[in-house]
Structure formats: C-alpha cells, structure tokens
Amino acid sequence: MTFLLGLAWRSLRNRRLISLLTAASIALSVALLVGIEHVRLGVRESFAGTIKGTDLIVGARGGTTQVLLSTVFGMATPSGTVSWATYERWAAHPAIKWTIPYALGDAHKGHRVIGTTAAFFAHYRFRDRSVTFASGGPPTDDRSIAIGWDVAQRLGYAVGTKVVLSHGVAAVSFAEHEAHPFTVSGVIARTFTPIDRALYTTLDGLTAMHEDEEAAGGLMMGPPEAGHVPGQAPPITAFLVGTKNRFETLALQREMNEDRTEPLTAIIPGVALAQLWQTIGSAEVGLRVVALFTVLVGLTGMCVALYASLEARRREMAILRAVGAGPRTIVALLVLESALLAVLGAAAGVAIVYAGIALAAGAVEARFGLALTLRPLGALEWGYLALVVGAGTLVGLLPAWRAYRTSLTDGLAPKV
Amino acid sequence: MTAPAPAGPAVALRDVRFAYRGGRDVLDIPALDVARGERLFLHGPSGSGKTTLLGLLAGVLLPRAGTVAVLGQRLETMGSAARDHFRAEHLGYVFQMFNLIPYLSVRDNITLPCRLSGARRARLGGADPDVEAGLLAERLEIAGLLASPVTELSVGQQQRVAVARALLGRPELVVCDEPTSALDADRRDRFLELLFARCADAGSALIFVSHDLSLAARFARTVALREVNRAAAPAAAGDPEAVAAR
Ligand SMILES: Nc1ncnc2c1ncn2[C@@H]1O[C@H](COP(=O)(O)OP(=O)(O)O)[C@@H](O)[C@H]1O
Ligand SMILES: [Mg+2]
C-alpha cells in the first residue's frame, strides 16, 4: 500500500503540470467554500458587532425589530416617545450604570439626526470599539453637531461647515429649521456601522432649535416635539442602558416591559440582532449553494483530467500487469492518485484561505469593516473537506474502472 | 501465499483455443511443450498470434477451451488474483519496446516486480532487491545507469533494463515479445548474448517470439507458430516466411 502510494505520487509528479492544474482547480473551489464560510462568519460577527456593550435598548412600547431598526440602524420610524421624566426615573435605577438618551425626528439631506449626550461618546461600543473622531470632537453646545464618516464624504463637509436641519426623516423636506443652523464640530472616524450615516447633536441643540423655530413663527410639529411644553425638557425616542451587573439584564428588561407608568419596550440588542440576522441572513444559503457547485466543477475537472490521461497510460498499465499487478492494483493506483489530488487540493485550498486572511485581514477591516479572523475549521468546514476528499476518491473510481476494463481486454499489448 | 515450488515442464499447452471477444479463433494449438531451462524461438508473421500466445502463458488471457499449464499449474482454472500472483512470482516478461515505467528510475523499474509481489521478493532469498538489481545490472552492462531516469536511456539500454527486471528473482519462465525488433544488428547480437547468459544463470526457460527468422540460428529449438497453430490462415503464395518455413 505504501509502495502504491509512492507509485501514485511519482506518477502524479511525472504529470506535474496537469496534476498541478487539477489540484489547483480543487484548491480554488475548496478555498471558495472555506472562504465563503469565513466571510459569512465575519459578516455575521460584524453585524452582531453593530452595537456592543449596551445591555438594553428601551423605546416606547412597540415591536422589537422596530425599536432596534429605528435606534441602531436609523431605519423605520421610532415607536413613539419616552418622556424625560420616565427616562430620568430609569436612569436613576440602582441596577443601571449608565444611559444614553436618543432623540430622533430630524434629518439633514436624508441623513438622520440624533440628539444625545456626551454619554454616547463615552459608552457606545461597536465591535468592541468606541466612537472616535477623525477630526474635531463631539458637539459641546446647542449650536454644534458631529457628523458620521459617510455624511462628511457624501456632502463634502468638514469641521466648521454650517448645517441646517430639516424636520422629519424624509430625504426631501421642505420644512427647514433655518432659524437655528448648526456648525460641524467633528467628523466621526469610520465605523462601518449606521453611525457613519448619521449626525449627532446635543439634546439641548434640538430643544433650542425647535424653540427658535416656534419663536420664528412655528412649524407643524410632529414627534418628538409633540406634547412638548416649552421650558420643560422635551421627550426622547429611546435610551440605551448599561447595567452594573450583566446578570441583572433579564430582570431589568422584565421590570421595564411590565412597568405601567409609561409603556416601554426594552430589548436586548444581541438577541434582537440575532433574530434580525435570521430573517436577512438567508442569502448566505445561496452563497453556499454556489460554492458547492464550484466544488462540483473542480471535481469534474479532476475526473476529466484523470480520464484524459488514461489513454496515454495504457502502456503503463500493460507493464504493471506484466510484472504481476492485478487489475485491482491498477484500480487502487488510480484511486490513490485521485485521492492524493483531492487531499492536496483541499489542503492547499485551506492554506490559501488562511494565508489570504493573514495577509488581507487588516486591509479588509479598514476597507469594509469586516473582521476576518484566523480560526480553526468548524465542523461544517471539516464536513465540506471530507465531502471533497470523499468525492474526489469516488471520482477516481470512474477512470480506474475504465483502466481496469482496458487492462483486461488489452492483455499485454495495448492497441495503439 | 507462497505455494510449494511447482513441478512440471515450463509450459504444456493442450487443445488450446483462443478467440478475442466476438472474433474467430486466433489460436488453435493441439499441443506445445517447453521444457524447463529450454530456449525456444517461436516465429510467425505479424498478426499471427504470437503476443496472444504469450498472453495465455502469462495468464492475462484465458483460453476458450483446452489447458494452459505453466510449471505444472493450470492457469485456466485459477482465479484472476491467483493468476496475477503466479505471474508475479514465476514469470519474467519483456516487451518489444516501451518496457519501462517512465516516472521510475532504472533501479526502481528493475525492482518493481519484487515491490509488487512478496513471493517474487522471497525468491531473492533475503537479499536486498536493490543489491540484486545492481548485480544484474552489472552483468547486463547497465550498472552506470541505475540512478538515471529511464527517459534518458537508448532503446538498447531500455531493453537490457527490461531483461534485468524480467530476471530479478530468477523466475522459471521468461517470455520475450520481439525484444530486439527496435535494435540494429550489432546491438541485437550483444543483447541476445546477454539475455542467453542471464537466463542460463537463472536456469530460466526462455520463450522468444519474433517475426525475424534470422534469429532462429541462435536458438536450440525453433518453432513456426503456424506449424502448431491450426487456426493459422493458409499461407499466401508469395509470403516469404511461409516459403522459408517449408
Ligand atoms: N485486444 C485484441 N482484441 C481483438 N483482437 C486482437 C486483440 N489483440 C490482437 N488481436 C488480433 O489477434 C490477432 C493476433 O494478434 P497478435 O497476437 O498481436 O499477433 P502478433 O503478436 O503475432 O503480431 C490479430 O489478428 C489481431 O488483430
Ligand atoms: Mg505481437
């Protein structure tokens, strides 16, 4: 057996080019398969990392997805408002360490504007990073505003640019808050999260803007200004919560959801993100199917290559038979060859993926915010590899069978 | 599965008929005997069935009828695996050309039968196949080529390597299928000398087939295939070999 293995190896080496090409086609399809799996996990992790470190997101009573989408992704309308009094009451809760208030309702050229406090810059985390600035700094007064990376790029804004907000979140709004322009205080460093597409000002800034507006003749008011009594702190649309002790998160969530003073919905971001991923992540199945088809193509290529070489090797088969090899030895030799090619191809494919990640992970992270990590192969990938090697060996059976037949009918003198 | 050393003549064919699938009989041989250690020259024109006969002797082809006994063993009653083992253990085979596996060195080509068959290796009596191959190569005047790739050898050198391979382990029967047809006259004579000497060393019976009658003089016994083969087509009037055989 070891002798046959050596024979198979030397035979493959003898047909170096075709063997290399065959193994390469298998390697590429395996690399695609394993690479897609790594990227899929990277995407999932990046998605799950959209918001980190926040234990609860609390909004007016509404759907889990609605609270998540409106607060974290800047999509959909908020489920309603949360009164300032309620917010303050919960912020003082003994289990709560910090809170970040969010006031949504205004926009700038299609980008959402979020009124918040310094707590946002202190506590908000994505992929275990905090919000930092590419230039300038956070808004400090009721006339300054920080902008996300994409906003700065798309609109060509920089620190010092004047910004006029519009009412409502529609891309085109005719209700401009012209009486109270803001000045860009800083551009937030790229996060690859929805933060890049938003603007962040102070709660005071929004309040001041709307009061100036009313003084200047007034606009139609909608949330979050609805029900706002001048001189009193306006309502917010949501707040993020960090607990003192993570294990209290579930109890706190229940307490908030059951509180009757003001109906709230508290969601755990990790859970909500995972649920959302299940609905939108089904595209990955398509990717996998494509990858499996690629493997199929690679294996077909191997079958064709082995089969095509048979004609040239009939002489070799006749010699082997003459020196005492049985047809079974010949089948074993060819199957070993295809198995070797499959194993080498699969190993090379995995190596390609790991080398690629090791070399390009930094660049990919910087360019796409996708965190690719070197990690051991998962059960699924081992399954794929076993499939490739198993199928590769089986594919070798077809040419081997053919060689078996011809070596029997050729006898010792192959027909030319 | 080394059987006790088989007794009996090197070859004994009785009423052997052979046809390729769906064809008419190529061979119909009432009797053909070769004694142990004998040197037989078997000639016949191309297509007369020489290679086919050797295939029967090697147990690669099976007769339609009759018995093929080699060293007293009936090949046609053996299973295919047993025939493969028998061939590996007791037979050396030299083709007309292209005898060698292209991706093995000369040494590995010579030792190939011993690597494939434990029984053939056992015939070396515990000696290292590589060492034995070296000794044979020396006597066949190819010792300097042992480590070379076979692709760098001349045809004459290749044929000697094939003889070394056929004779390693001293098989009882060596069959050669026109091994000199690609050699010029000088090399052919030297090749035959070496072949005969080595067969004599090993005590092997030699069956040498060729369409080249001029070699016959060098053999103790010469048989025209058509003399023993009833399936041979009647000789065409102008066939020089047929004339020469008369
Ligand atoms: N594998 C085969 N299948 C069918 N017919 C064959 C095969 N090999 C040889 N033959 C036929 O058998 C006859 C004898 O062939 P062969 O034994 O090769 O002759 P020789 O070796 O004397 O030249 C020829 O007519 C040839 O065409
Ligand atoms: Mg022939």
Side-chain angles (χ1 to χ4, degrees), chain A residues 195-385:
Chain A
I195 290 175
D196 295 347
R197 296 185 292 275
L199 298 85
Y200 294 83
T201 184
T202 58
L203 288 172
D204 288 347
L206 288 185
T207 312
M209 178 180 78
H210 291 122
E211 279 172 1
D212 284 356
E213 212 62 61
E214 278 160 45
L219 278 165
M220 280 207 5
M221 292 294 159
E225 303 94 314
H228 171 46
V229 183
Q232 217 175 302
I236 56 175
T237 48
F239 58 97
L240 313 187
V241 172
T243 56
K244 287 177 181 156
N245 180 349
R246 294 220 136 172
F247 296 110
E248 289 174 22
T249 304
L250 278 177
L252 189 63
Q253 183 191 24
R254 198 174 321 115
E255 196 180 333
M256 286 175 156
N257 282 337
E258 287 168 2
D259 189 75
R260 308 229 164 169
T261 328
E262 183 169 355
L264 297 176
T265 292
I267 64 167
I268 299 174
V271 175
L273 281 170
Q275 280 172 359
L276 189 57
W277 181 254
Q278 294 219 310
T279 25
I280 63 171
S282 55
E284 63 188 23
V285 175
L287 276 181
R288 280 191 196 164
V289 170
V290 170
L292 278 174
F293 270 112
T294 320
V295 168
L296 211 65
V297 171
L299 289 173
T300 314
M302 173 162 93
C303 193
V304 169
L306 286 174
Y307 207 84
S309 71
L310 277 190
E311 220 29 65
R313 300 179 67 192
R314 280 169 85 160
R315 188 73 214 162
E316 188 185 327
M317 303 303 157
I319 297 168
L320 285 171
R321 291 223 63 199
V323 299
R328 256 173 284 177
T329 310
I330 283 165
V331 169
L333 178 69
L334 288 174
V335 169
L336 270 177
E337 281 183 23
S338 66
L340 262 176
L341 279 181
V343 167
L344 290 179
V350 173
I352 290 173
V353 171
Y354 280 160
I357 290 177
L359 288 176
V364 168
E365 160 105 61
R367 182 93 176 68
F368 304 106
L370 188 62
L372 296 176
T373 46
L374 286 171
R375 48 173 193 82
L377 295 178
L380 187 73
E381 284 148 307
W382 281 116
Y384 282 158
L385 291 181

